[in-house]
Amino acid sequence: MSGFCPELSDDVKQVRDWVHEFARDVIRPAGAEWDEREETPWPVIQEAAKAGLYSLDFFATQWFEESGLGLPVAFEEIFWGDAGIGLSIVGTGLAAAAVSSNGTPEQMGEWLPQMFGTENDVKLGAFCASEPDAGSDVGAIRTRAVRDGGDWILNGVKTWATNGGIANVHIVVATVDPALGTRGQASFIIPPGTPGLSMGQKFRKHGIRASHTAEVVLDDVRVPGSCLLGGAEKLEARLARVRNGERAGEQAALRTFETTRPAVAAMAVGIARAAFEYARDYAREREQFGRRIAENQAVAFLLADMATRVDIARFMTWRAAWMARNGRRFEQAEGSMSKLVASETAVWVTEQAIQILGGAGYTREHPVERFHRDAKIFTIFEGTSEIQRLIIGRAVTGLPVR
C-alpha cells in the first residue's frame, strides 16, 4: 500500500509500553479468576479508569492518533493481558464508535462522556445490533422504531450484546422502513433509566467469560427525537435517496462495523501473541529425552510458523488502521481482510500452543487453554469469517457474490 510504513511514532511506542505494563501487572494476574467467576471485573475496570486507560479521553486520543495505530497497538497489549477482561475494558468502544462516526456534535458531547463515567464512578456503553433470528444478516433485523409525534417508540429483542442490560447508555439498531431492508434502518441512543429496556438472558460462554454478554429487551421504549443517531434531517434525506433509487451510502451500523474491524483484529493479534510467547518460553525450558523441546525441529518449525503468522496478522491490522485514519478507501476490503486473518490466526496459534505444551496445555494450570477458548469468538462476532470472505469476495471480483 503506497505511503504505508509500519513504523510506530515515539508517542505510540510510549502508549504501547504504558498499556503493556498495565496489562502485565493488573490485567493478566486477574485473568484466570474472572474467567472462572464469569462476572464483569468491575475492580479491574476501576483500576483502568484510575490509570486513565478506561476513559473517553484515552479512546478519543488514540482513535484520532495521526498514524491510526494508537488504538490497534493499545488493544493488542490489553488483549495480550487477557481477552475477557480486555473486552470488559474496551467493549464500550463499539458504542462510542457508533456515536463518534455517525452522531451529531451535540450527541457526541452529551452521550460519549456518559458511556465512560468517571474514574470514581465508571459506566459502560453497549452497541445492540444482533438479533436472535438475524445474526450476521443485518437485513433481517426485526426491531422496529416507529415515530410517534416528536418521539420514537422501539420494540424488539437484541442478543449477543456486550454490556447489554448493564450499560449506562445503549445504542440500538432498528428498522424504520421495512420495505428498504438494511437501507431502511437507523440507530438510536437509549438514555440510562429509560422505561421498557431490560436485560434478558445473560449468556454463559465458551470464552471471554469475564465480559458480560446478554439479550436486551425493548418493550415500548420511548425516546425523544434527539436520540435518533445523526438526527432526523440526515435520516430523511437518506431514506428519500433510497426511495428515489439513488445511492444513499452505508447505514450507520454497517459503517460502525467497518470502522472497528482493524481494532477487533488487533485484539485477536494480542491473544495470538500471548499464546505464542507462552509456548515459546515453555519450549525453551521443558526438557524431554535429555534436551529442551525447542531444539526439536518439529517444535522449532511450529514456533516459526506461529511467529510468522502473528506478524502477518499485525501488519495487515496496522495497514487497515492506517488506511482508515488517512481516508484511504478499502478497495479490496482491507478492513475485513485484517479481521479475517487475525481472528483465524488467533485460533490456529492458540491451538498450536496447546499442542506444544501437550497434556499440560489442556489443563487450566496453564493459560493457553483459556487463550484458545477466548480466541474462537473472533471468528464469529463483528462479522463471521464467512461474512468477511463474502465481503472480500465481492470487493475483489466486483460481482454480487452470494
Side-chain angles (χ1 to χ4, degrees):
M1 173 57 63
S2 176
F4 174 63
C5 178
E7 177 65 31
L8 300 181
S9 68
D10 289 340
D11 288 344
V12 173
K13 288 178 182 177
Q14 289 177 3
V15 169
R16 178 196 61 194
D17 295 344
W18 166 55
V19 177
H20 178 78
E21 182 177 338
F22 185 86
R24 181 194 65 206
D25 297 342
V26 180
I27 296 176
R28 179 164 285 193
E33 174 189 352
W34 291 98
D35 176 73
E36 291 287 348
R37 293 175 63 165
E38 298 190 56
E39 298 174 0
T40 300
W42 289 106
V44 184
I45 301 174
Q46 188 82 53
E47 288 299 311
K50 290 179 180 178
L53 181 58
Y54 183 79
S55 70
L56 175 58
D57 285 345
F58 175 78
F59 276 80
T61 300
Q62 298 311 312
W63 189 269
F64 295 107
E65 190 275 330
E66 184 175 359
S67 71
L69 303 184
L71 273 189
V73 167
F75 282 8
E76 178 181 333
E77 297 302 331
I78 291 171
F79 281 71
W80 172 89
D82 180 74
I85 293 176
L87 196 56
S88 288
I89 292 174
V90 309
T92 295
L94 186 58
V99 175
S100 296
S101 58
N102 305 299
T104 65
E106 293 76 17
Q107 289 170 336
M108 286 186 269
E110 180 175 3
W111 298 110
L112 288 174
Q114 294 191 49
M115 291 183 181
F116 292 90
T118 67
E119 64 179 63
N120 296 316
D121 184 23
V122 295
K123 304 294 185 182
L124 302 174
F127 184 75
C128 308
S130 296
E131 296 189 0
D133 296 323
S136 296
D137 183 8
V138 294
I141 286 177
R142 295 181 180 178
T143 295
R144 288 292 309 277
V146 178
R147 201 190 310 265
D148 183 35
D151 296 340
W152 290 86
I153 299 176
L154 285 78
N155 283 281
V157 177
K158 293 297 181 178
T159 194
W160 316 124
T162 299
N163 300 332
I166 65 171
N168 197 47
V169 179
H170 292 74
I171 307 299
V172 175
V173 182
T175 296
V176 296
D177 188 338
L180 301 181
T182 58
R183 297 176 297 174
Q185 295 171 359
S187 295
F188 295 84
I189 302 163
I190 313 299
T194 300
L197 184 147
S198 62
M199 186 178 81
Q201 176 186 4
K202 177 187 175 181
F203 296 103
R204 301 189 66 188
K205 305 187 298 295
H206 176 65
I208 56 168
R209 301 198 305 191
S211 173
H212 176 94
T213 309
E215 291 179 331
V216 174
V217 180
L218 302 120
D219 184 10
D220 286 337
V221 172
R222 180 182 290 270
V223 297
S226 60
C227 287
L228 169 62
L229 198 60
E233 184 177 342
K234 183 177 179 180
L235 173 64
E236 291 302 330
R238 179 167 61 83
L239 295 179
R241 291 196 299 272
V242 173
R243 291 171 184 139
N244 290 331
E246 301 174 25
R247 184 175 177 84
E250 288 183 308
Q251 195 275 329
L254 297 177
R255 188 159 55 249
T256 298
F257 285 132
E258 189 64 19
T259 300
T260 58
R261 276 179 184 136
V264 175
M267 302 174 195
V269 173
I271 300 172
R273 186 183 117 217
F276 159 71
E277 290 177 358
Y278 195 92
R280 177 201 62 197
D281 294 346
Y282 181 90
R284 285 171 171 172
E285 298 176 5
R286 171 68 168 165
E287 291 190 5
Q288 284 188 324
F289 304 107
R291 62 180 179 181
R292 290 167 295 185
I293 63 173
E295 296 180 60
N296 295 317
Q297 191 178 86
V299 174
F301 279 15
L302 187 53
L303 288 168
D305 286 343
M306 293 162 72
T308 300
R309 293 198 186 189
V310 171
D311 271 8
I312 291 170
R314 181 184 297 110
F315 180 86
M316 296 187 71
T317 298
W318 286 8
R319 179 184 68 167
W322 178 85
M323 290 178 67
R325 180 64 182 89
N326 287 275
R328 302 294 184 94
R329 287 180 57 84
F330 289 160
E331 299 286 356
Q332 301 292 303
E334 287 88 350
S336 289
M337 284 183 178
S338 70
K339 201 268 187 182
L340 173 65
V341 171
S343 62
E344 298 202 342
T345 293
V347 172
W348 184 83
V349 169
T350 54
E351 182 177 2
Q352 304 318 308
I354 292 176
Q355 196 71 22
I356 288 173
L357 269 69
Y362 197 69
T363 71
R364 295 189 182 181
E365 298 299 315
H366 295 271
V368 292
E369 175 270 341
R370 185 173 76 254
F371 296 160
H372 187 51
R373 286 189 287 108
D374 290 342
K376 182 56 189 172
I377 191 60
F378 287 86
T379 65
I380 300 172
F381 73 174
E382 305 290 329
T384 64
S385 289
E386 290 74 22
I387 289 295
Q388 307 307 327
R389 286 187 169 92
L390 187 65
I391 293 169
I392 297 166
R394 289 171 176 169
V396 300
T397 65
L399 299 173
V401 180
R402 295 180 178 87

PDB file of all heavy atoms in Angstrom, residues 6 27 58 183 276 306 313 315 335 361 390:
ATOM      1  N   PRO A   6       5.092   0.529   8.344  1.00  0.00           N
ATOM      2  CA  PRO A   6       4.744   0.045   9.677  1.00  0.00           C
ATOM      3  C   PRO A   6       5.768   0.432  10.738  1.00  0.00           C
ATOM      4  O   PRO A   6       6.440  -0.407  11.333  1.00  0.00           O
ATOM      5  CB  PRO A   6       4.681  -1.468   9.484  1.00  0.00           C
ATOM      6  CG  PRO A   6       5.679  -1.750   8.405  1.00  0.00           C
ATOM      7  CD  PRO A   6       5.580  -0.558   7.481  1.00  0.00           C
ATOM      8  N   ILE A  27      -3.984  -6.666  34.541  1.00  0.00           N
ATOM      9  CA  ILE A  27      -4.947  -7.493  33.816  1.00  0.00           C
ATOM     10  C   ILE A  27      -4.587  -8.974  33.870  1.00  0.00           C
ATOM     11  O   ILE A  27      -5.409  -9.814  34.267  1.00  0.00           O
ATOM     12  CB  ILE A  27      -5.055  -7.034  32.346  1.00  0.00           C
ATOM     13  CG1 ILE A  27      -5.618  -5.607  32.285  1.00  0.00           C
ATOM     14  CG2 ILE A  27      -5.936  -7.986  31.549  1.00  0.00           C
ATOM     15  CD1 ILE A  27      -5.674  -5.030  30.882  1.00  0.00           C
ATOM     16  N   PHE A  58      -8.828   8.851  26.584  1.00  0.00           N
ATOM     17  CA  PHE A  58      -7.884   7.876  26.033  1.00  0.00           C
ATOM     18  C   PHE A  58      -8.378   7.351  24.692  1.00  0.00           C
ATOM     19  O   PHE A  58      -7.633   7.316  23.712  1.00  0.00           O
ATOM     20  CB  PHE A  58      -7.678   6.712  27.005  1.00  0.00           C
ATOM     21  CG  PHE A  58      -6.817   5.621  26.439  1.00  0.00           C
ATOM     22  CD1 PHE A  58      -5.442   5.759  26.398  1.00  0.00           C
ATOM     23  CD2 PHE A  58      -7.382   4.469  25.905  1.00  0.00           C
ATOM     24  CE1 PHE A  58      -4.636   4.758  25.846  1.00  0.00           C
ATOM     25  CE2 PHE A  58      -6.591   3.467  25.358  1.00  0.00           C
ATOM     26  CZ  PHE A  58      -5.215   3.618  25.335  1.00  0.00           C
ATOM     27  N   ARG A 183     -31.192  -0.566   4.221  1.00  0.00           N
ATOM     28  CA  ARG A 183     -31.174   0.864   3.936  1.00  0.00           C
ATOM     29  C   ARG A 183     -32.308   1.604   4.646  1.00  0.00           C
ATOM     30  O   ARG A 183     -32.350   2.829   4.644  1.00  0.00           O
ATOM     31  CB  ARG A 183     -31.232   1.097   2.432  1.00  0.00           C
ATOM     32  CG  ARG A 183     -30.032   0.538   1.682  1.00  0.00           C
ATOM     33  CD  ARG A 183     -30.176   0.697   0.184  1.00  0.00           C
ATOM     34  NE  ARG A 183     -31.319  -0.049  -0.330  1.00  0.00           N
ATOM     35  CZ  ARG A 183     -31.755   0.007  -1.582  1.00  0.00           C
ATOM     36  NH1 ARG A 183     -31.112   0.769  -2.466  1.00  0.00           N
ATOM     37  NH2 ARG A 183     -32.804  -0.692  -1.974  1.00  0.00           N
ATOM     38  N   PHE A 276       1.674 -17.506  21.588  1.00  0.00           N
ATOM     39  CA  PHE A 276       2.983 -17.814  21.010  1.00  0.00           C
ATOM     40  C   PHE A 276       4.088 -17.638  22.043  1.00  0.00           C
ATOM     41  O   PHE A 276       4.954 -18.505  22.198  1.00  0.00           O
ATOM     42  CB  PHE A 276       3.261 -16.930  19.790  1.00  0.00           C
ATOM     43  CG  PHE A 276       4.720 -16.832  19.454  1.00  0.00           C
ATOM     44  CD1 PHE A 276       5.392 -17.923  18.921  1.00  0.00           C
ATOM     45  CD2 PHE A 276       5.434 -15.663  19.716  1.00  0.00           C
ATOM     46  CE1 PHE A 276       6.757 -17.847  18.639  1.00  0.00           C
ATOM     47  CE2 PHE A 276       6.790 -15.584  19.440  1.00  0.00           C
ATOM     48  CZ  PHE A 276       7.454 -16.677  18.895  1.00  0.00           C
ATOM     49  N   MET A 306       4.169 -19.958  13.882  1.00  0.00           N
ATOM     50  CA  MET A 306       3.337 -19.164  14.786  1.00  0.00           C
ATOM     51  C   MET A 306       3.799 -17.710  14.795  1.00  0.00           C
ATOM     52  O   MET A 306       2.990 -16.772  14.665  1.00  0.00           O
ATOM     53  CB  MET A 306       3.383 -19.756  16.197  1.00  0.00           C
ATOM     54  CG  MET A 306       2.716 -21.124  16.310  1.00  0.00           C
ATOM     55  SD  MET A 306       3.206 -22.040  17.804  1.00  0.00           S
ATOM     56  CE  MET A 306       2.336 -21.121  19.074  1.00  0.00           C
ATOM     57  N   ALA A 313      -0.504 -11.033  10.623  1.00  0.00           N
ATOM     58  CA  ALA A 313      -1.782 -10.504  11.100  1.00  0.00           C
ATOM     59  C   ALA A 313      -1.621  -9.075  11.614  1.00  0.00           C
ATOM     60  O   ALA A 313      -2.467  -8.202  11.357  1.00  0.00           O
ATOM     61  CB  ALA A 313      -2.343 -11.403  12.201  1.00  0.00           C
ATOM     62  N   PHE A 315       0.695  -6.864  10.702  1.00  0.00           N
ATOM     63  CA  PHE A 315       0.947  -5.969   9.573  1.00  0.00           C
ATOM     64  C   PHE A 315      -0.352  -5.613   8.861  1.00  0.00           C
ATOM     65  O   PHE A 315      -0.600  -4.446   8.539  1.00  0.00           O
ATOM     66  CB  PHE A 315       1.921  -6.618   8.593  1.00  0.00           C
ATOM     67  CG  PHE A 315       2.230  -5.758   7.395  1.00  0.00           C
ATOM     68  CD1 PHE A 315       3.233  -4.800   7.445  1.00  0.00           C
ATOM     69  CD2 PHE A 315       1.503  -5.893   6.218  1.00  0.00           C
ATOM     70  CE1 PHE A 315       3.508  -3.999   6.344  1.00  0.00           C
ATOM     71  CE2 PHE A 315       1.770  -5.094   5.118  1.00  0.00           C
ATOM     72  CZ  PHE A 315       2.782  -4.146   5.181  1.00  0.00           C
ATOM     73  N   GLY A 335     -10.172  -3.842   5.566  1.00  0.00           N
ATOM     74  CA  GLY A 335     -10.634  -3.953   6.941  1.00  0.00           C
ATOM     75  C   GLY A 335     -11.097  -5.362   7.259  1.00  0.00           C
ATOM     76  O   GLY A 335     -10.740  -5.939   8.298  1.00  0.00           O
ATOM     77  N   GLY A 361      -0.988 -28.300  28.462  1.00  0.00           N
ATOM     78  CA  GLY A 361      -1.679 -27.198  27.809  1.00  0.00           C
ATOM     79  C   GLY A 361      -3.177 -27.344  27.810  1.00  0.00           C
ATOM     80  O   GLY A 361      -3.903 -26.361  27.625  1.00  0.00           O
ATOM     81  N   LEU A 390     -17.139 -13.171   2.269  1.00  0.00           N
ATOM     82  CA  LEU A 390     -18.151 -12.683   1.331  1.00  0.00           C
ATOM     83  C   LEU A 390     -17.857 -11.240   0.942  1.00  0.00           C
ATOM     84  O   LEU A 390     -17.898 -10.872  -0.250  1.00  0.00           O
ATOM     85  CB  LEU A 390     -19.537 -12.790   1.978  1.00  0.00           C
ATOM     86  CG  LEU A 390     -20.737 -12.475   1.084  1.00  0.00           C
ATOM     87  CD1 LEU A 390     -20.851 -13.502  -0.030  1.00  0.00           C
ATOM     88  CD2 LEU A 390     -22.013 -12.446   1.917  1.00  0.00           C
TER      89      LEU A 390
END
